[in-house]
Structures are given as C-alpha cells and as structure tokens.
Amino acid sequence: MSHVMGLLLTIPAVLAATGSIAASLAPHRAVYDLVLTSKSMDLLDGSGRIAIELRQGTCGTFDLDYRFVARFEREDATVVTDQQTVSTENTVANTFTFTTKTFVDGAPAWVIRGQATNSGSSTRVDLQEPEVRSIQLPLSVFPSAHTRELVEKAKAGESIVETRLFDGDNEADKLLSTTALITPIEEDSPSAERVARELPEELRGLQAWRVNEAYYNSDSDPEGLPLFQTTYTLFENGISGEIAFDTGDYGFAGTLTQLDLLAAPDCPRQ
C-alpha cells in the first residue's frame, strides 16, 4: 500500500547523491478520485481518493503531505483504509524523513517513521517505528528525485529507466527497484486530444509522457512479475495527470479532479 505514494512522486541515484536538481517540480495541491478496475474474489466493489500537497519552502527541500483513503466492499463487511504520510526530502543534505500512519476502519493499524540518508555509494535507513533498527542499502533514490530523473530522461528521449528506490517502506532491506517505460504523448495523437480535454488549465500546453512503471523487490515473482504496477501521465513540471495502479489483489484508476499550484521559491537550476 505504501508504494502508491511512489506513483505520484516517482516518486536518480547520481542526482540524489550530489544534491543536483535536474528538473523543477511544481509545488501543488492535487486530488485524485479513484474507481475500482480489478478485484480479488472476495471484493464486490471499491472506491477511493488520493490527496497530496507538495510544498517547497526553501530551495532543495520538498515537503509532502499525502493521504490515500480507500473503501472496499466485501461480502461480509465494508473496510476503509486510510494511509497518511508526511515526509521531507532534502536534496542538499541528501536526506529523506518520513512518517506514515495507517488506519483501518478508523483504528490505528501501524506506523512507520524514520530517516534515510544518502552518502557515497550507500543509503542508510534509520527507523524509529515500528521498531528501532538501521539498514544499509546500495545507493537508492528518494521519491521527488526519482520524479525529476524521469522528467529529465523523458526530455532526453530515453524510454527505459531503472532505479533503486527508497520511499519509506519498513521492508527496506528487501531493496525496492522500479522499471519505468516512457512513451511520449504526441500533440496530434488521439490520446493527447483526450488528455487535453480533461486537463486542468494549469497543465495545458506542457510536455507530457505516458509512464508504465513496475515495482520489484526480493518478494517478487521468480518469473518476473512485479509486486505492483502503475500507469500515469507525467507532465514536465512533475505533476501526474490520470493514474492507474494494480497491486495484484485490486486495481484503481484515478482522475485528477482538483489542482492548485502553490508558491515556489526562486531557485537557480544546477
């Protein structure tokens, strides 16, 4: 469940390690309304909403408030899950601090809290909850750095981006990685015309790509099936348009129903 955040801030090792800013991300507030597109045997229906607020108070620092609420209708009960994440990614200090709280039917279910730091060729993760422990990983990318990487690679015409990603998961020792397939949305294509009709005014005229991204770790299917898959429209300012994701147990498709651009500091490109 926590990797849903990755699809909106997808979520490069080199950039994260040096603190460089490859592409500008637009601070914004966005809401995505979700409908169920696939389900396991015991699910009858479902719906959901994702709300995010990305702020940039100072150059190189990104503060994220993220909330994903889903309602699952089962034969014997209705279950509501509520995931709330607050994180700060500092591209100068190469740190990512995070707290994720998950509630089921209004009751606390679990908490993940800690900080990850990139240094040299490794990423150190220091968890405070659900237990105090430290993990040493190969150099990994934090979510907003990954988004910047995808935009830069897309602008350069690259179609495949493979990344080691740390997004605040408490199973970090399983080493999450992603493979993203990037396809340009041509201005005169039918999909571009459809996207343009549904776009908020703030995104019209921006360059955009279709991204299909698969997530893997040591629990992934030995035959190569991912743990989690996402598809989304990525705009050059880092904002995601329509989204879809599939966990294997269920899938959702989401439409961007509200978008507000927020103030950003005047930061030099590096």
Side-chain angles (χ1 to χ4, degrees):
M1 185 80 72
S2 64
H3 303 310
V4 176
M5 181 175 68
L7 75 94
L8 295 170
L9 287 172
T10 314
I11 200 250
V14 172
L15 296 177
T18 63
S20 299
I21 300 177
S24 297
L25 302 185
H28 65 283
R29 185 183 298 112
V31 175
Y32 300 82
D33 287 336
L34 308 175
V35 296
L36 194 69
T37 55
S38 64
K39 57 187 179 181
S40 59
M41 293 285 290
D42 63 337
L43 270 182
L44 300 178
D45 201 358
S47 60
R49 173 171 288 184
I50 291 173
I52 68 172
E53 183 172 302
L54 179 68
R55 299 180 304 278
Q56 189 176 10
T58 60
C59 296
T61 300
F62 298 93
D63 297 309
L64 175 72
D65 284 341
Y66 163 91
R67 188 173 184 181
F68 171 34
V69 179
R71 183 182 184 91
F72 298 98
E73 302 286 348
R74 304 184 183 276
E75 292 185 359
D76 58 346
T78 297
V79 178
V80 177
T81 62
D82 183 354
Q83 179 185 328
Q84 303 172 19
T85 295
V86 177
S87 66
T88 296
E89 185 171 337
N90 188 320
T91 64
V92 177
N94 297 318
T95 59
F96 176 62
T97 59
F98 54 91
T99 301
T100 295
K101 299 178 181 180
T102 301
F103 301 84
V104 177
D105 291 336
W110 63 86
V111 177
I112 303 167
R113 181 170 63 91
Q115 176 172 293
T117 304
N118 282 342
S119 178
S121 60
S122 65
T123 297
R124 178 186 173 91
V125 180
D126 294 303
L127 292 174
Q128 283 78 52
E129 295 184 76
E131 61 181 331
V132 176
R133 63 173 178 146
S134 295
I135 306 165
Q136 202 77 16
L137 302 174
L139 191 63
S140 301
V141 181
F142 304 138
S144 67
H146 185 36
T147 301
R148 298 196 303 275
E149 176 193 34
L150 288 178
V151 171
E152 281 296 301
K153 299 288 188 181
K155 286 184 174 181
E158 298 190 30
S159 58
I160 301 176
V161 179
E162 296 182 333
T163 306
R164 292 192 186 103
L165 179 67
F166 179 77
D167 63 358
D169 197 298
N170 66 326
E171 295 185 330
D173 49 343
K174 295 183 180 179
L175 192 57
L176 184 69
S177 64
T178 80
T179 299
L181 304 180
I182 303 172
T183 305
I185 298 178
E186 303 297 340
E187 292 184 5
D188 56 352
S189 67
S191 61
E193 294 176 4
R194 177 178 56 79
V195 168
R197 286 196 303 268
E198 301 171 355
L199 273 185
E201 184 177 348
E202 295 87 345
L203 297 178
R204 292 177 184 173
L206 296 183
Q207 194 172 3
W209 303 267
R210 174 68 66 187
V211 179
N212 292 279
E213 189 160 18
Y215 291 68
Y216 303 87
N217 70 11
S218 57
D219 286 342
S220 297
D221 189 284
E223 296 183 0
L225 295 177
L227 289 173
F228 182 86
Q229 298 184 79
T230 72
T231 302
Y232 52 97
T233 304
L234 176 65
F235 291 89
E236 62 182 286
N237 60 359
I239 295 176
S240 295
E242 58 184 9
I243 61 175
F245 55 92
D246 195 322
T247 68
D249 293 324
Y250 60 86
F252 278 110
T255 302
L256 177 60
T257 55
Q258 178 183 330
L259 177 64
D260 299 301
L261 297 183
L262 305 177
D266 185 12
C267 298
R269 292 178 65 86
Q270 300 180 14

